[in-house]
Amino acid sequence: MNLLEEKPQSDPKAPKRRKRRVSLLVYISSTLLALFVGIFMTILVIGLNSRTSQSLDTSTTGFSKLSQVYQTINQQYYRKTDQNKLINGAVKGMIASLGDPYSEYLSGSDASTLDNTISGSFEGIGAEIQKKGQYIEIVSPIAGSPAKKAGLKANDVITAINDQSTAGWSATKATNKIRGKKNTTVKLTIKRDKQSFKVTLKRDVIPVKTVNAHLDKNQPTIGYIQITSFSEPTFKETKAAITKLRKQGAKSFVIDVRSNPGGIMQQALKISSMFVANGKPLMQVKPRTGQATVYHASKSEDGGFKVKEPVKVLIDDGSASASEIFAAALNQSANVELIGTKSFGKGTVQQVVQLDKKSEFKLTIAKWLTPNGSWINKRGLTPNIVAKYPSYAYLPVVSDAKTYQLNDVSSKIKTIQTELKAVGQDPGTINGYFSDTTQQAVTAFQAANNLTQSGKLDPATIDKLQTAITKQISDNDVAYNKAVEQLTKE
């Protein structure tokens, strides 16, 4: 294949950004809602005059049937037909028949959403989504985003947006409904396992900065680097972070790609190459036919910047796509231990085919494989050391306007009782019954947090409790603590 590379800039299709010809792909991951929409996948933009289109034989029986149906409807349907709608419907039907959550037809605002800039700030809730079955599933909330702060998690299913069912929606349609201006709100109905709940999120500006770094406060020779996504500046930001931490005394590093939904493949390769000896494999891309293309660590990838200090990588079920490429490369080609929980499992590559100025479609065209040739799609990467958050970190979010009080019974009260116990208040038996003991625990929590001591679980108290739980989860980071423990032994 000899196809034009589209370097990721403010418009992935802009001709002025074209640089050189390459054998395959540019970007990686799935659909990201409210931030970097459409960038977190492997995308290759081609036109109708490409080899893909030229290979079609429109004289085949199938296309003859399609043409016959079109002509019959257009000429004999009892109402006047819209030719564009008929054609778009046929295209949508063909793509939908693949049953692939990453392949979809995009037109109008959907297409422009796909092509949003990745070089500025965005207003939304900051979570990656994909279509799964009839509904929309969260792949990963972005660290520090409204979605993350509200307690949304990987594998949560969005069954409704502003009380509109998402059944049958594309991920792009859901994205358009969820995005919006800063300080406006959007209400999501979430299904987590067998429980369903509603959460109202206030949209915010999602910053482009993708790397956060600091020295461990107790072990100042250990540098912590969090990579929240793989976008344009990530290689430079990671390099700068490592350089700065080295000057501050870091002798080893914890690289955190938890809740990282992915990003640009080339950025993942460049950063992976920093940690892997030249010549060793970073990943493979395998199309339906032909040999896999193998990418190797090299000076051309990392510019000669290498990290030889001890490293641990943190992953979880929100680590997807490009972050899995990074984690797998370090694990399999540099013997770096992975710590945390199993990653998401996104192992396919997409391209974007331009149909005209207002429409295009995404199509999955290849698998990507780890350095040793494994395909992790729907399986994920298994960490060397399993380290989970405490059980209360996986509770459903309680976020509604209802007030609970003495003698009330509810599954939500049971959740709150568990949370009260986690923050050091004794609610008595955790059974969903608002007992005298639970009331005393609520009053004590309200007193400790400068709230009106009503003894009732009003929205203000519930919101404060959710915030306290989120902070406690962050302060009791089991995976990070395990990584620090391991590095102090080396």
Side-chain angles (χ1 to χ4, degrees):
M1 299 175 69
N2 191 21
L3 302 167
L4 280 176
E5 172 184 337
E6 293 291 337
K7 184 178 179 181
Q9 297 289 346
S10 59
D11 182 353
K13 301 193 296 295
K16 64 181 180 181
R17 296 296 185 185
R18 290 178 179 169
K19 294 293 184 182
R20 62 185 184 278
R21 292 182 178 271
V22 294
S23 59
L24 259 179
L25 317 152
V26 186
Y27 315 128
I28 253 202
S29 193
S30 30
T31 305
L32 181 68
L33 99 87
L35 172 64
F36 307 145
V37 176
I39 285 301
F40 294 102
M41 65 189 78
T42 300
I43 300 176
L44 187 60
V45 181
I46 61 178
L48 279 177
N49 62 345
S50 68
R51 180 175 175 180
T52 302
S53 299
Q54 291 172 345
S55 65
L56 297 177
D57 180 4
T58 57
S59 66
T60 62
T61 302
F63 278 93
S64 177
K65 181 190 297 184
L66 186 64
S67 177
Q68 182 180 355
V69 172
Y70 170 79
Q71 293 295 340
T72 302
I73 292 174
N74 194 40
Q75 295 172 10
Q76 299 182 27
Y77 186 62
Y78 81 107
R79 290 178 178 173
K80 186 177 181 179
T81 59
D82 184 318
Q83 294 184 14
N84 287 331
K85 284 186 177 180
L86 291 176
I87 294 171
N88 290 343
V91 173
K92 287 180 181 179
M94 280 191 286
I95 296 171
S97 72
L98 301 173
D100 176 30
Y102 305 111
S103 297
E104 62 178 328
Y105 173 73
L106 304 166
S107 62
S109 61
D110 287 349
S112 62
T113 297
L114 174 67
D115 303 325
N116 268 335
T117 177
I118 65 166
S119 59
S121 294
F122 298 81
E123 295 178 344
I125 70 166
E128 183 196 7
I129 62 170
Q130 69 171 8
K131 182 176 177 62
K132 186 170 184 180
Q134 281 294 302
Y135 292 97
I136 303 298
E137 180 185 70
I138 292 178
V139 174
S140 179
I142 303 298
S145 69
K148 185 69 174 180
K149 291 176 181 177
L152 298 185
K153 301 180 183 300
N155 302 313
D156 282 349
V157 176
I158 303 173
T159 58
I161 299 172
N162 291 330
D163 295 324
Q164 287 184 283
S165 172
T166 60
W169 286 16
S170 68
T172 305
K173 181 176 180 179
T175 294
N176 289 336
K177 294 291 186 180
I178 294 174
R179 291 191 67 177
K181 293 183 178 180
K182 179 181 178 180
N183 293 328
T184 60
T185 60
V186 60
K187 182 168 66 175
L188 306 182
T189 303
I190 302 294
K191 183 178 180 182
R192 180 179 297 168
D193 296 325
K194 296 181 180 180
Q195 299 189 40
S196 182
F197 58 91
K198 294 182 179 181
V199 56
T200 298
L201 302 174
K202 182 182 287 187
R203 300 178 177 103
D204 200 354
V205 175
I206 311 297
V208 168
K209 184 180 179 183
T210 61
V211 177
N212 301 300
H214 58 79
L215 291 177
D216 184 86
K217 60 183 180 180
N218 297 317
Q219 300 290 339
T221 61
I222 297 176
Y224 170 79
I225 299 173
Q226 179 192 42
I227 303 176
T228 60
S229 65
F230 290 88
S231 54
E232 274 189 358
T234 308
F235 173 76
K236 289 183 179 179
E237 288 180 4
T238 304
K239 182 178 177 180
I242 292 170
T243 301
K244 182 177 180 179
L245 290 173
R246 281 172 171 168
K247 290 180 179 178
Q248 293 175 343
K251 304 297 182 184
S252 59
F253 300 99
V254 177
I255 312 296
D256 189 351
V257 292
R258 293 174 297 179
S259 295
N260 180 328
I264 302 170
M265 184 180 84
Q266 288 178 327
Q267 290 290 314
L269 292 174
K270 287 162 70 72
I271 297 168
S272 299
S273 185
M274 290 182 183
F275 301 86
V276 176
N278 288 344
K280 289 196 172 184
L282 300 175
M283 70 173 292
Q284 304 178 41
V285 175
K286 181 73 170 64
R288 183 172 66 186
T289 60
Q291 296 295 314
T293 299
V294 182
Y295 296 84
H296 297 87
S298 66
K299 186 176 180 180
S300 64
E301 292 286 0
D302 55 43
F305 186 87
K306 291 292 186 182
V307 179
K308 298 183 179 179
E309 295 92 338
V311 172
K312 304 295 178 186
V313 173
L314 307 183
I315 62 172
D316 67 4
D317 58 1
S319 304
S321 204
S323 57
E324 292 175 297
I325 290 174
F326 170 79
L330 270 64
N331 181 238
Q332 296 180 11
S333 291
N335 296 316
V336 171
E337 284 186 319
L338 305 181
I339 300 175
T341 57
K342 186 177 291 187
S343 66
F344 179 79
K346 165 67 169 62
T348 57
V349 169
Q350 285 72 44
Q351 73 179 10
V352 169
V353 181
Q354 292 174 264
L355 299 175
D356 53 40
K357 291 182 179 180
K358 295 183 179 181
S359 64
E360 57 199 25
F361 70 93
K362 294 183 299 181
L363 183 68
T364 298
I365 60 168
K367 303 175 180 178
W368 73 261
L369 311 175
T370 66
N372 67 13
S374 298
W375 192 38
I376 65 164
N377 199 56
K378 297 183 180 180
R379 296 188 296 114
L381 296 167
T382 300
N384 302 96
I385 300 175
V386 176
K388 298 182 178 180
Y389 282 113
S391 58
Y392 58 77
Y394 302 94
L395 291 170
V397 176
V398 177
S399 178
D400 57 26
K402 188 172 181 179
T403 295
Y404 301 93
Q405 56 189 340
L406 190 64
N407 295 323
D408 282 349
V409 178
S410 169
S411 61
K412 293 184 178 180
I413 294 174
K414 183 177 181 180
T415 296
I416 293 170
Q417 288 173 327
T418 306
E419 293 177 340
L420 284 167
K421 186 172 183 180
V423 297
Q425 304 295 343
D426 181 12
T429 304
I430 299 175
N431 58 4
Y433 171 65
F434 201 124
S435 64
D436 290 333
T437 308
T438 299
Q439 185 181 54
Q440 293 168 11
V442 171
T443 302
F445 177 80
Q446 290 170 332
N449 289 274
N450 299 316
L451 297 169
T452 302
Q453 297 173 42
S454 65
K456 298 179 181 180
L457 282 168
D458 53 46
T461 302
I462 293 172
D463 183 65
K464 192 70 175 181
L465 181 58
Q466 303 292 292
T467 301
I469 281 291
T470 300
K471 184 178 184 303
Q472 182 153 318
I473 292 170
S474 177
D475 292 343
N476 293 275
D477 193 334
V478 179
Y480 175 72
N481 293 339
K482 176 61 71 170
V484 170
E485 176 188 326
Q486 294 296 308
L487 287 172
T488 56
K489 296 177 181 179
E490 296 184 1

